[in-house]
């Protein structure tokens, strides 16, 4: 009987405003049979630090997050904060 645990990114989505969403699937396997599977979802905002993020997700962020996308996202956040009275 051999138990193994694997975690891999199985979904990556880029939203209209540049937010990158990704899902990691963790599988527990016994002799090739899946015993359990769990998911963990993470969101990344344009320009966010990518330290510790899986390489395939970083590659997507580097393509999606152009300087224009980052500036537009930051302007959107600033406008929302201004509406809410947050500084």
């Amino acid at each position: 009987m051999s138990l193994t645990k694997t975690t891999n990114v199985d979904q990556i989505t880029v939203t209209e405003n540049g937010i990158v969403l990704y899902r990691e699937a963790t599988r527990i396997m016994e002799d090739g049979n899946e015993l359990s599977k769990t998911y963990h979802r993470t969101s990344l905002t344009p320009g966010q630090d990518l330290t510790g993020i899986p390489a395939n997700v970083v590659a997507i962020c580097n393509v999606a997050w152009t300087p224009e996308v980052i500036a537009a996202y930051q302007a959107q956040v600033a406008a929302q904060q201004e509406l809410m009275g947050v500084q």
Side-chain angles (χ1 to χ4, degrees):
M1 174 165 61
S2 171
L3 290 177
T4 59
K5 176 181 175 181
T6 61
T7 300
N8 67 325
V9 175
D10 67 343
Q11 286 185 358
I12 302 173
T13 304
V14 180
T15 66
E16 182 178 2
N17 62 353
I19 293 174
V20 174
L21 310 166
Y22 71 96
R23 182 177 82 177
E24 291 180 292
T26 301
R27 293 177 176 86
I28 306 295
M29 307 288 286
E30 178 181 30
D31 298 325
N33 296 314
E34 185 175 273
L35 297 179
S36 74
K37 179 173 26 178
T38 59
Y39 297 107
H40 177 78
R41 291 174 173 79
T42 304
S43 62
L44 304 169
T45 56
Q48 182 175 334
D49 180 27
L50 299 175
T51 303
I53 303 300
N56 55 342
V57 177
V58 170
I60 298 296
C61 292
N62 287 335
V63 171
W65 293 349
T66 64
E68 295 81 14
V69 168
I70 293 171
Y73 179 78
Q74 290 171 341
Q76 177 186 9
V77 169
Q80 288 173 343
Q81 289 177 340
E82 186 176 315
L83 285 173
M84 296 173 59
V86 177
Q87 294 184 9

